[in-house]
Amino acid sequence: MKREFAVIGLGRFGGSICRELSEEGMEVLAIDLEEDKVNEFKNIASHAVIADATDEKVLKELGVRNIDHVIVAIGDNIQASILTTLMLTELGVQKITVKAQNDYHEKILNKIGADQVVHPERDMGKRIAHSIISNNILDHLELSDDHSIVEVKAGKKMSGKTLVDLDIRAHFGCNVVAIKQENNKEINVSPMATEMINLGDILIVIGADKDISRFEKQLVVDD
């Protein structure tokens, strides 16, 4: 059975979520106040409607309470974002994800019932900053306020050494959870301590942000 989603706010973030979910074959209800944005998604989403999501009566008429997951992607109008989240909580929506503008906005959203709060601009900024530091840092994903998972390419400092030689856990407090060898498409999950690392291999590393930062500076960024 297909999961049903609703995306409220069809700006860049909401529009992107709507497209991706639709391409994955999900049932998506797209909602926005602006007619031109709704028209843009009429042939993409399962349903696209012009509606005021801060109006509880409108949300009830649209059957939003029966939708599995609602994403509130309202742009700069923090008041509308908060009111919509509050209405969805009171309607008993199963899961609510909301885009936050700042930390203060996030605190309020958490207090009124949002299940997940995302900061797309802030999080993307972190990922880009890490990739700018070194070509060997391929990706950076925040798991919590102080823990992340990174994808790094083995450079000269790691090449020709085993995990025992590098002893990343003891020196940096990070864990290498997987290795993808440059000449092999398969991913080696939970690699052995004797695993040899070659130039260009990709390591998936998890740990506290401060530990990952030390690891990147000492072993990932080539001098």
Side-chain angles (χ1 to χ4, degrees), residues 43 98 104 135 141 161 168 181 193 218:
N43 296 322
V98 191
Y104 176 68
N135 290 333
L141 181 65
K161 296 184 175 71
I168 293 169
Q181 294 179 335
Q218 293 188 40

Side-chain angles (χ1 to χ4, degrees), residues 204-218:
I204 312 296
V205 182
I206 190 169
D209 291 342
K210 58 181 176 54
D211 295 330
I212 286 176
S213 180
R214 288 190 302 117
F215 163 69
E216 288 175 345
K217 286 173 184 174
Q218 293 188 40

Side-chain angles (χ1 to χ4, degrees), residues 3-37:
R3 291 183 66 199
E4 293 184 331
F5 295 83
V7 179
I8 301 172
L10 300 173
R12 277 186 301 177
F13 175 68
S16 176
I17 296 262
C18 185
R19 280 193 181 88
E20 291 296 323
L21 289 172
S22 298
E23 284 176 12
E24 290 295 323
M26 303 297 169
E27 290 282 333
V28 184
L29 169 62
I31 303 170
D32 201 284
L33 270 173
E34 295 183 27
E35 185 179 358
D36 58 339
K37 287 183 180 176

